[in-house]
Amino acid sequence: MYPSDIPGPSRLPMSPLPEPPGPPALTPIQQQELAERYAPILYFHPMEENFLQDPNTFIDQSSLREDKHYMEDGTLSGKGKVTAEDLLEIGPANDRSETPKFLDHDDENLDYARDGDLKNSKNLYQYDAESNTLTYHFFYSYNDGSPGAGDVQNHEGDWEKITLQLDDNLQPTAVRYSAHSKSTIERSWADAPNENGRPVVFVGKGTHVNVPAPGHWRSDFPPIQDEAKYGIRFDVGNQPPVDITQQPWYGTHVQWGERGALTLLERFNVDFFGASGMTSGPTGPSESKGPILAGQADPSLSPTDSRCPDTRPAKWPNNPSW
């Protein structure tokens, strides 16, 4: 008899190993409660002019158009007539299209529309069970580039976000702050600024990059820098919570803002006589633009200079991280 023929425990089929414990499944109500618990505090630059906007208001103030290169852009749906169905028909192919579809914001009242509307903005959140993250999305009607950059960073529509990494007990372990493509920042929860257990975010003037401290931060256009300061305090937790994945337009690949000249330049299709100099509006939240995941942010990034003058209010919460 060969050893392999000998019956015994070693020859019995092995039971599969149990799955390691993970975060609990959350109901929609629990996700909302989590989003309210950690809603961020934003500090806008004291000279900020373009504030948060409800994305639905932006849609109502926009036409749906299609870029036609050197021809006049085509209007697919007029202002006030753009529906969620119109937007959901616009898939990932629009990201690479030579004739992309975009939301063209109200030109008649553009200066007013660019201001945004803090009072009517929303707490836009997204809980992702797979990565066990909680993301807060921020939408602005207009992005005004850093001083010295001219129009190359200006565009209608601006989507930004921060992501909280959670542990299996739904406690934050890290914060990731959206910035320019090469400057997304990460801080451990212990090192991230907070007020009473809620993340503090400093918003770059005009560009709305999110950073964990005031000061000047590098941008994608050296030596242009983004500037963040203590200024206008805005508590996102005071706004109505909205699960962004349940918005009827979630997942559309439409460009949120007028098609701009810089993207045409990158594709060698600049109309030198008619180019506005503005860049194009970005696409919004979708399955491909969700949480900022581990490895997608740099924990080593810091301001390029010392802090801007401390203008915190006299009754600043006791926070050891400061």
Side-chain angles (χ1 to χ4, degrees), residues 292-314:
I292 307 170
L293 301 176
Q296 295 179 342
D298 189 342
S300 69
L301 294 177
S302 297
T304 58
D305 60 0
S306 59
R307 283 188 175 179
C308 296
D310 189 342
T311 56
R312 288 176 286 177

Side-chain angles (χ1 to χ4, degrees), residues 150-170:
D151 289 338
V152 299
Q153 285 184 320
N154 293 3
H155 54 82
E156 293 178 359
D158 191 20
W159 281 102
E160 301 290 348
K161 58 191 170 185
I162 66 165
T163 293
L164 305 187
Q165 183 65 57
L166 307 173
D167 64 17
D168 289 348
N169 296 316
L170 301 176

Side-chain angles (χ1 to χ4, degrees), residues 48-79:
E48 180 60 61
E49 296 180 350
N50 311 118
F51 293 95
L52 292 169
Q53 176 68 283
D54 182 345
N56 293 295
T57 300
F58 187 90
I59 293 173
D60 290 342
Q61 295 176 343
S62 299
S63 306
L64 179 61
R65 308 186 73 190
E66 184 175 16
D67 179 73
K68 294 293 186 181
H69 286 325
Y70 304 104
M71 300 168 60
E72 183 177 352
D73 294 336
T75 299
L76 306 176
S77 296
K79 176 187 168 185

Side-chain angles (χ1 to χ4, degrees), residues 75-88:
T75 299
L76 306 176
S77 296
K79 176 187 168 185
K81 298 181 180 179
V82 180
T83 67
E85 289 75 18
D86 293 333
L87 299 180
L88 288 176

Side-chain angles (χ1 to χ4, degrees), residues 99-258:
T99 58
K101 299 177 176 66
F102 60 93
L103 288 168
D104 190 5
H105 205 195
D106 182 359
D107 290 328
E108 295 178 2
N109 299 300
L110 190 56
D111 290 339
Y112 171 77
R114 287 177 176 178
D115 295 344
D117 187 354
L118 276 178
K119 181 180 178 181
N120 292 308
S121 64
K122 303 295 186 288
N123 175 4
L124 301 171
Y125 68 88
Q126 174 184 5
Y127 174 72
D128 180 64
E130 183 176 355
S131 60
N132 196 25
T133 56
L134 178 63
T135 298
Y136 294 92
H137 295 270
F138 310 120
F139 179 73
Y140 302 87
S141 293
Y142 190 72
N143 180 100
D144 190 9
S146 301
D151 289 338
V152 299
Q153 285 184 320
N154 293 3
H155 54 82
E156 293 178 359
D158 191 20
W159 281 102
E160 301 290 348
K161 58 191 170 185
I162 66 165
T163 293
L164 305 187
Q165 183 65 57
L166 307 173
D167 64 17
D168 289 348
N169 296 316
L170 301 176
Q171 300 295 313
T173 60
V175 187
R176 303 182 187 116
Y177 308 80
S178 72
H180 298 296
S181 58
K182 299 177 183 178
S183 306
T184 301
I185 303 158
E186 180 172 338
R187 290 289 185 270
S188 70
W189 182 249
D191 293 332
N194 73 84
E195 288 185 24
N196 301 320
R198 294 164 57 198
V200 166
V201 180
F202 296 91
V203 183
K205 181 181 182 297
T207 62
H208 308 128
V209 298
N210 296 307
V211 294
H216 291 89
W217 296 76
R218 78 180 192 188
S219 75
D220 287 348
F221 296 93
I224 304 301
Q225 299 185 78
D226 290 303
E227 182 180 76
K229 284 186 176 183
Y230 290 100
I232 302 166
R233 181 184 185 276
F234 183 71
D235 187 342
V236 176
N238 291 333
Q239 304 308 109
V242 173
D243 181 348
I244 203 166
T245 67
Q246 299 305 306
Q247 289 292 281
W249 41 260
Y250 172 79
T252 179
H253 286 258
V254 71
Q255 291 182 345
W256 290 71
E258 185 178 2

